[in-house]
């Protein structure tokens, strides 16, 4: 009798221990997340779709196949150097010629030059020569010290001489076309806007394929649509100083893009100073005063370009620049680490480390 | 042991099982890392044991270091060292890469990741 009690007790104890300590069951939702990683646009692009229905999952895979091709084409077309379309247009500019903007590239050209104008030149699609002087265009050309001032001055002088906007020019048919140049010494570089535009286009394609719940992460340029099962997509903003923290803030975008520009992505240090890749087109040097700018917007193209424009605008002028660009939701980390956010975004973010946040109207 | 005892014990066991399922906090600390070179099959390592891993990529050898449940790139043949600047990674969903060398690492853990992506 005693033995039986001990055996039953031991068996129950074993059962209870197992129930309490067993690893959590494989999350059922994980099998409903379809993912694809693509090495394009100079980074990794991750496509994720939440799809419970196997037929929908197949449709998602097919759509991802198309997107992979779409992004690969986009990549070659918009690369500032090389054999792609923009690379060839830049070669024509270098040769002193005017360029005619191909019809399929016109929307992004116009958008970039429009944001250039509205931002008062803080965002500049003509910045390619400066990027190259600093060696941020190509990982094989990274510098270990700042370039000579004379090289910066040459690139700045070319920018001053060059036209600020696209010009209408006679097309091959009856329609007018857009042209640019001549602009000797100018290299067009859409690196601060093309990723956002690509994400917008991918989003449209996925929506057109009937996919309603997805996330596109183009190297930290994140766009969400719908939900991830029973909860919203949850996106963190990286802390600009990893020695202080990993995550700065968490936000649940509602069919929006969250884009961050920071001084930590591409940089080198020289004599204790950090030289990063976000260049101020006014003095041709890395923009000072901020560590990171995040912008949340339904317009991915705008979010991408605006995060750069606000970064260049700096601590005293970012809010004014955001107003001009029609950007209502932004989060700023100043050079001393202080946080600022616009009212609309402040109400939507959680700060895991609870740092003080200054809310700006 | 009476029949009522048995009923109570079974109910208690069920309660523990249901509570464990309903209130289990998803772990966000990673326990494994997936290392991928180019299109090759990913290689999975535990983050428990301290070790150095040499990965031979497109440009040369990247060295990874695992210590105290975290991992970092110690050296890599890319010029800008983005992967090394990433520092120590320890949470599931963390990832970094040496793109020129075609080496990617992604941290894995049990349970749903709390965060789907990081804007950076």
């Amino acid at each position: 009798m005693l033995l039986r009690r001990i055996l039953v007790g031991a068996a129950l104890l074993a059962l209870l221990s197992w129930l309490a300590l067993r690893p959590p069951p494989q999350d059922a939702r994980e099998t409903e997340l379809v993912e694809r990683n693509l090495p394009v646009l100079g980074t990794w692009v991750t496509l994720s779709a939440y799809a419970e229905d196997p037929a929908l999952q197949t449709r998602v895979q097919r759509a991802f196949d198309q997107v992979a091709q779409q992004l690969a084409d986009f990549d070659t077309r918009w690369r500032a150097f090389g054999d792609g379309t923009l690379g060839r247009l830049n070669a024509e500019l270098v040769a002193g010629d005017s360029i005619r903007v191909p019809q399929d590239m016109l929307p992004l050209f116009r958008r970039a030059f429009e944001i250039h104008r509205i931002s008062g030149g803080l965002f500049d699609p003509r910045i390619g020569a400066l990027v190259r002087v600093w060696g941020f265009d190509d990982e094989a050309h990274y510098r270990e010290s700042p370039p000579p001032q004379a090289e910066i001055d040459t690139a700045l002088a070319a920018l001053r001489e060059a036209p600020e906007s696209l010009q209408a020019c006679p097309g091959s048919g009856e329609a007018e076309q857009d042209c640019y140049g001549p602009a000797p010494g100018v290299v067009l570089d859409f690196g601060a806007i093309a990723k956002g535009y690509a994400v917008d286009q991918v989003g449209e394609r996925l929506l057109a394929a009937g996919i309603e719940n997805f996330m596109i992460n183009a190297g930290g340029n994140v766009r969400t649509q719908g939900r991830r099962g029973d909860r919203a997509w949850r996106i963190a903003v990286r802390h600009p100083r990893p020695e202080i923290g990993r995550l700065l803030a968490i936000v649940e975008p509602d069919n929006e893009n969250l884009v961050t520009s920071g001084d930590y992505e591409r940089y080198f240090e020289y004599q204790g100073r950090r030289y990063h890749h976000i260049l101020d087109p006014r003095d041709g040097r890395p923009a000072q005063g901020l560590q990171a700018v995040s912008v949340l917007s339904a317009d991915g193209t705008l979010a991408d370009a605006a995060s750069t424009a606000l970064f260049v605008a700096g601590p005293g002028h970012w809010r004014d620049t955001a107003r001009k660009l029609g950007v209502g939701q932004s989060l700023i980390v100043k050079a001393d680490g202080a946080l600022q956010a616009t009212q609309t975004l402040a109400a939507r973010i959680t700060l895991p480390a609870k740092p003080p946040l200054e809310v700006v109207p | 042991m009476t029949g009522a005892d048995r009923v109570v014990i079974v109910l208690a066991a069920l309660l523990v099982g249901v509570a464990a399922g309903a209130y289990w906090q998803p772990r966000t600390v990673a326990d494994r890392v997936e290392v991928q070179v180019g299109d090759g099959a990913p290689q999975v390592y535990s983050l428990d044991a301290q070790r150095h891993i040499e990965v031979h990529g497109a440009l040369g050898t990247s060295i990874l270091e695992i210590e105290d449940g975290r991992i970092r790139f110690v050296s890599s043949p890319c010029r800008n060292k983005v992967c090394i600047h990433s520092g120590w990674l320890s949470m599931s969903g963390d990832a970094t890469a040496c793109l020129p060398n075609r080496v990617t690492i992604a941290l894995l853990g049990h349970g749903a990741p709390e965060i789907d992506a990081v804007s950076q």
Side-chain angles (χ1 to χ4, degrees), chain A residues 70 111 193-207 216 223 257 297-303:
Chain A
Q70 180 187 14
R111 201 73 209 283
I193 190 170
K195 233 194 281 176
Y197 181 72
V199 168
D200 278 344
Q201 294 209 311
V202 170
E204 275 171 35
R205 172 157 307 201
L206 293 179
L207 281 174
I216 306 159
R223 183 250 160 101
N257 299 263
S297 168
D299 182 338
T301 312
L302 176 64

Side-chain angles (χ1 to χ4, degrees), chain A residues 81 130-147 151 266-268, chain B residues 77-80 100:
Chain A
F81 300 99
L130 269 175
V131 175
R132 187 157 245 207
V133 164
W134 281 88
F136 290 119
D137 56 322
D138 182 348
E139 295 186 339
H141 286 92
Y142 262 55
R143 306 181 61 97
E144 270 138 27
S145 60
E151 287 184 33
R266 278 175 280 160
Y267 70 92
F268 59 85
Chain B
C78 36
R79 282 287 299 277
N80 61 338

Side-chain angles (χ1 to χ4, degrees), chain A residues 44 139 142 234 236 246 260, chain B residues 79 94 99-100 114 116-117 119:
Chain A
W44 284 89
E139 295 186 339
Y142 262 55
R234 202 173 292 143
R246 197 176 75 91
T260 302
Chain B
R79 282 287 299 277
D94 272 352
L99 284 179
E114 280 205 307
D116 302 307
S119 171

